[in-house]
Structures are given as C-alpha cells and as structure tokens.
Amino acid sequence: MQRKNLEIMAVAAVAIAVCALASFVMFGGDDHVPTVTDPDYLPNPITDDMRDYPDAEEARAEMDELFAAYIDTILSDDACGDEIMERTQSLGDLYGDLEIWYGIMLWDYSRDPSTYSVQFMECSSVINSFDMTLNDVVQRGLDGPNADEVEAAVITVFGQMKFESMSSSATDIPELAELSERELELCDMFYTTPSTPDNMAAIFLELIDVRNRIAELQGYENYSEYGFTMKNCRDFGPDDVAGFMDAVADRVVPLYYSYFDTYQPPEYDYGCPQQLFNDVSQFFHSISEEFGRLYDCMVENDLIDFDDLPTKPINTYTWGNIYSDTRYAYICAYPYGGFLDVRGLVHEFGHAANYCMNPTKDWDYDISESQSQGLEALFALDPQMLDGQMEAVRSDVLSNLLANMIVASCFTEFELRAYAEGPDTQEDLEALYAEAVSRYGTEGWSPWYYHSQLFGNPFYFMSYGVSAFNALDIFITGLEDRDAALDEYMSILLYDRNGYMGMTDALGIRSALDQEDFDHVLDALEAFYSQADGAPIIADRGVIPSSAS
C-alpha cells in the first residue's frame, strides 16, 4: 500500500539549521494551566517585497556586531540587568528576522528546490551559525559575573526550552560546525538528487556517520541516544517507547489489516484549490468562531498553497514564526487530488491554529502532531461535508491514524538500529529495514527513502505515533460526547509547555506510553468496528451535533 499520507509536516523549528543543537528539558506533571487564546492571533500577509531576501554576508556582519556587543556587556562587572536584557532582546529581534527570512525562503524552496537551493542553503547556514554562536556566548555569560541576569534575560527572550539547549550543548568545537554544515548539505541533497535507491542510500549512510560523530562530540555513544530524546526535546527515551512499539505490533497491526486494508476512500474531487478551501470551510467554522476567522484570514491572504507545480516535491508542511512579535504562518502542500487533500488541509490547519492561537517558544513535536491529528479526529466525528459518506470518512481518517502508529514504530526501530549499529553498505541498510518491515507488516508500503523525515528530521516519526494515539482517544471520547472531545482537543492545542508525558499528566488525558491507557483506546476502537463483519457501524452514539457549544 502506498502511504502517500505520511508527507513531512515540517515547521521552521524542525529545520536542522534551527535545532541541530537542541536539548531535552522536562516539564513534569504539574498544575500548569494552558494559556487562553491570544486575542491578536491572525497572521499577517506575506507580501512580494518580503521576498527581497537579505544578503547572507550582510546578515552575518550584523550578527557578529550584535554578538560582540552582547559579550562585552554580559562579561562586564559594571553591567546591570536592564543592559543585559536590552542586549539579549537585540539578539532576539535579529533571530526573529532570521526566522521570517528562513520561513519565506523555505516556501520558495518548497515550490522549486532546484532554483532556490543555493539561497536556501545560505539562509540555513546563517541561522546555524547564529545558533552555535548563541550557545557559545550564553555559556560564557553563565560562567561570568552576571550569570543570574543572563539566565533570566535568555529565558524571557528565547524561552525555557532554548535556554536549556544553550546551557547544555557542547560549544566552540570547530569540527562540530563543519559537521553541522555537512548535515545541511546532505539534507538538501534529498530534494535535489534523483530519488533512486542507490543515491538515497549513499546520502543516508553518510548522514548516519555525520550524526553519530555529532553525538560523540556532544558526549553520547551514538545518535540513537542523542537524537531521539535530546535533539527532539522529549521527556521520554527509546526505552519508554519499547512497550508502545510492542503493543503496536501486537494489536494495531492486526486491527489495521482486519478492518482498513481494503477500505475505499471517500469520493471527492475538486476543480481548483479555491473549491477545496470552500468545501472544507464549514468544518473549521464549526469548531469555534476563532477557528473560522483564522481560516478565512489564511484563505483570503493566500497563506494556504495547494498549487499544482511540476517543480513541487512531495512535501506538505505548515510554517509559523515563534520569536517575532509580528505573526506569520502559512501552509504549503503537495496536491494529490481527491479526499487526501481534504484530510491534509485539516491536518495542517491544526498546526496553523497552534502557531497562531498559542504562540509559545517551548515547541514540542509530539504535542504539535497531537494538535494536527486531533483535528482530523474531530473531522471524522462531524466532517460538515460529503453527505452520506460518514462511514468512508471515518474509515479513511481512522485507518490513517492507525497507519501512522505502525509507520512510526517501523521507522523508529529502523532508525534506532541504523544509528546504533552503523551499517556500512546499502545492503546492510536494506537488511535492517527489512527486519522492521517484517515485524510491522508494512511490506509493499512506500520505500524508506521516500520519506524526507528520515533525512531532515530524524526520529520525528515517533511524534506521529504517540499523537495518533491521542487523536484516536479524542475520537472515542467524541462518540459519546463531542463537547468533551472538543474540550480535550482545545486543551492540547493551547498547552504551552514541551514534554509529551508532562502534558498528559498536566491535562489528565491518556498517554500512548501507558499500557492501561493504550488498551482502553484499542479496546474501544475494536468494539466500535467489530459490530458487523468488519464494516464500520455508525451507532446512535455516533450522531454528533453539528457545532460546538
């Protein structure tokens, strides 16, 4: 089965240039209450003049000047807290500008990688240099006479998660900078090199070597240990997902093949992107007034891109900025045609809603994918379109969520072993993948080298897996009480800390990593689909009101 629905859901913070040196910080199960919706949440238009990109060398010169002033201030015995905050804010302002430059350049690059490859690499290199320099100067400041003031200012401007990254990463290692640049080049090659098995294997094998060396310089045995938890800022590690992966193999794979392997997607076609946008509009307006207003704003300002271009790679994502006070966000999608684009738009709008309605500097991939796949679950409860096809819609959405759990487990096992064992040849790589495929029953699904996440966002797939579980929980809840499902979804959308386990504890929701919770959701899903010869039954309890109260 071709799993075309697992395209990359990239965001600026996912880019290697931005988070190559990210570090783990736990926010445990405390009494934290999610923030309320920001009243000024609508994104600004992205205008043509914003594509008059800055010169990379000029950006580096400005960066060097600001860093020199910053280090002079934070190491001065005479500096006060206000001066340190002012210098830190100037760096934050520049970082916000670089972030916007990157985001808009990413959009152009995603529409035509070959044309914009050089400019995109220059931009990514500048941001990579900024991050590494920032790590270095902050660590120097924390060892200096104004450590408390430096810490307070960095947390205020850049957020707690980034502060933890800066204060714990290895710095001032020339080899690390060289490796990070090579990592960027190899990721670019995924998009600009013909996608043959030989080409992709050569790129991935070198990425394994480069990343394992990066992990060694950071003090880890290999990238499996460093990348899964530390780079992805998770509050759980590979050992914590072992039980989840076992449960997926034991329960999710049989369920998927029992009920969903031969399903037919809903019948839907659209003539142009605007028709697609119009057809899905009612669903977003049914979630809340704020959702509807945000969707209308993005459509009216051409911030949702489903253009069918011969140069567009198979790559769908949402970008939004974090460090600038001026809000921007867009969705860039590869158009497959048909219902897959409906579900893709719903998924990506979940990301956009989080960017705009809950702007937090403490970004978390696992929570982010819960916000997007959770919206898919609400769509399956009441799509507000496709009359008479409720069963097909639900089968499509639920099969995709289960498939995401399967693929997440399959690719995570493949990645963990690849980085830990360090295969030398394409044959070694293929053998590792074949073992994972055999365990999770994904023979005949799309080849591993089709998936950009393996190249650009290592260990991202597990974010799809744990979040798909929470989306299924929202669906099961909504069969009895749509308002309760909507409340659960909104609590996840507005949660503004990082750490999946911390979030499930704080919000009191089920966790994919808890065996009892896992069994509860799978039992309920199996019961829902076992009522008549494997065909989905829409019982009275599944009749959902058309809008939230």
Side-chain angles (χ1 to χ4, degrees), residues 446-494:
S446 56
W448 65 270
Y449 54 84
Y450 277 20
H451 297 275
S452 55
Q453 296 93 330
L454 294 175
F455 294 80
N457 311 107
F459 300 109
Y460 194 101
F461 271 104
M462 185 48 65
S463 296
Y464 295 137
V466 296
S467 60
F469 169 85
N470 288 98
L472 290 171
D473 186 40
I474 289 171
F475 176 80
I476 295 300
T477 299
L479 291 173
E480 298 287 351
D481 186 342
R482 182 180 187 268
D483 288 344
L486 185 56
D487 287 345
E488 181 178 342
Y489 173 76
M490 292 303 296
S491 71
I492 296 173
L493 182 76
L494 298 177

Side-chain angles (χ1 to χ4, degrees), residues 348-549:
E348 294 305 328
F349 192 76
H351 289 308
N354 172 246
Y355 271 125
C356 295
M357 300 173 72
N358 180 24
T360 174
K361 295 182 177 71
D362 292 323
W363 183 263
D364 187 288
Y365 308 145
D366 305 318
I367 298 173
S368 167
E369 291 301 336
S370 300
Q371 294 155 349
S372 56
Q373 296 196 89
L375 193 58
E376 292 185 59
L378 293 178
F379 183 80
L381 290 168
D382 185 15
Q384 297 278 320
M385 61 182 291
L386 300 170
D387 291 343
Q389 298 195 67
M390 177 72 83
E391 293 183 12
V393 170
R394 290 186 173 182
S395 291
D396 182 274
V397 172
L398 296 179
S399 70
N400 180 66
L401 294 175
L402 291 173
N404 283 348
M405 295 171 72
I406 295 170
V407 170
S409 300
C410 179
F411 281 124
T412 297
E413 180 171 313
F414 170 59
E415 288 181 278
L416 287 172
R417 291 191 60 189
Y419 286 108
E421 298 177 21
D424 295 320
T425 65
Q426 181 178 345
E427 290 73 21
D428 294 340
L429 201 61
E430 295 290 353
L432 287 178
Y433 184 59
E435 291 183 28
V437 164
S438 176
R439 182 183 183 196
Y440 296 101
T442 56
E443 295 90 347
W445 294 21
S446 56
W448 65 270
Y449 54 84
Y450 277 20
H451 297 275
S452 55
Q453 296 93 330
L454 294 175
F455 294 80
N457 311 107
F459 300 109
Y460 194 101
F461 271 104
M462 185 48 65
S463 296
Y464 295 137
V466 296
S467 60
F469 169 85
N470 288 98
L472 290 171
D473 186 40
I474 289 171
F475 176 80
I476 295 300
T477 299
L479 291 173
E480 298 287 351
D481 186 342
R482 182 180 187 268
D483 288 344
L486 185 56
D487 287 345
E488 181 178 342
Y489 173 76
M490 292 303 296
S491 71
I492 296 173
L493 182 76
L494 298 177
Y495 189 77
D496 62 356
R497 303 258 184 124
N498 76 302
Y500 172 82
M501 295 180 72
M503 178 198 71
T504 57
D505 286 347
L507 300 181
I509 60 178
R510 293 186 177 90
S511 168
L513 307 182
D514 182 281
Q515 188 63 54
E516 185 176 342
D517 289 347
F518 189 99
D519 289 338
H520 173 89
V521 171
L522 265 292
D523 288 346
L525 195 61
E526 287 175 350
F528 178 66
Y529 273 99
S530 64
Q531 297 177 51
D533 296 328
I537 299 297
I538 309 302
D540 290 342
R541 63 176 181 166
V543 178
I544 307 300
S546 61
S547 62
S549 59

Side-chain angles (χ1 to χ4, degrees), residues 247-270:
V248 168
D250 292 342
R251 297 201 60 182
V252 175
V253 172
L255 177 63
Y256 177 86
Y257 280 106
S258 293
Y259 295 106
F260 301 116
D261 187 39
T262 59
Y263 86 95
Q264 293 298 315
E267 295 181 5
Y268 175 77
D269 194 16
Y270 63 94

Side-chain angles (χ1 to χ4, degrees), residues 141-344:
L142 293 174
D143 292 332
N146 303 293
D148 291 344
E149 291 80 2
V150 169
E151 178 177 344
V154 169
I155 291 174
T156 298
V157 173
F158 291 99
Q160 178 75 34
M161 186 176 75
K162 195 163 183 64
F163 169 74
E164 295 290 339
S165 168
M166 297 174 197
S167 61
S168 62
S169 298
T171 62
D172 198 24
I173 302 176
E175 185 185 358
L176 189 59
E178 295 171 3
L179 289 165
S180 296
E181 289 295 319
R182 183 55 181 164
E183 186 180 28
L184 287 172
E185 294 170 357
L186 290 166
C187 292
D188 176 68
M189 289 169 63
F190 172 83
Y191 293 104
T192 57
T193 302
S195 185
T196 66
D198 291 350
N199 287 342
M200 295 299 105
I203 294 170
F204 194 59
L205 287 169
E206 186 176 352
L207 272 172
I208 291 172
D209 291 340
V210 167
R211 286 173 173 155
N212 275 339
R213 180 57 181 157
I214 288 174
E216 290 173 7
L217 292 174
Q218 295 287 357
Y220 296 89
E221 182 177 352
N222 57 58
Y223 200 79
S224 286
E225 181 183 0
Y226 170 67
F228 184 90
T229 300
M230 299 307 220
K231 179 188 176 296
N232 284 285
C233 306
R234 288 190 168 112
D235 59 355
F236 60 91
D239 290 344
D240 298 305
V241 299
F244 170 82
M245 293 163 65
D246 288 342
V248 168
D250 292 342
R251 297 201 60 182
V252 175
V253 172
L255 177 63
Y256 177 86
Y257 280 106
S258 293
Y259 295 106
F260 301 116
D261 187 39
T262 59
Y263 86 95
Q264 293 298 315
E267 295 181 5
Y268 175 77
D269 194 16
Y270 63 94
C272 65
Q274 189 60 52
Q275 181 184 344
L276 169 67
F277 303 156
N278 292 342
D279 290 343
V280 185
S281 175
Q282 188 173 345
F283 166 70
F284 295 124
H285 281 265
S286 77
I287 299 298
S288 72
E289 181 181 349
E290 291 82 6
F291 257 64
R293 188 181 300 121
L294 173 60
Y295 181 72
D296 291 346
C297 173
M298 294 189 70
V299 171
E300 291 165 4
N301 288 285
D302 296 322
L303 297 174
I304 304 178
D305 174 7
F306 271 77
D307 291 346
D308 188 2
L309 303 174
T311 54
K312 248 188 184 180
I314 300 177
N315 183 17
T316 295
Y317 66 94
T318 302
W319 176 86
N321 63 318
I322 297 173
Y323 294 101
S324 172
D325 291 335
T326 305
R327 185 160 302 143
Y328 296 99
Y330 66 79
I331 295 170
C332 181
Y334 177 88
Y336 295 100
F339 182 76
L340 188 58
D341 290 345
V342 173
R343 179 158 47 75

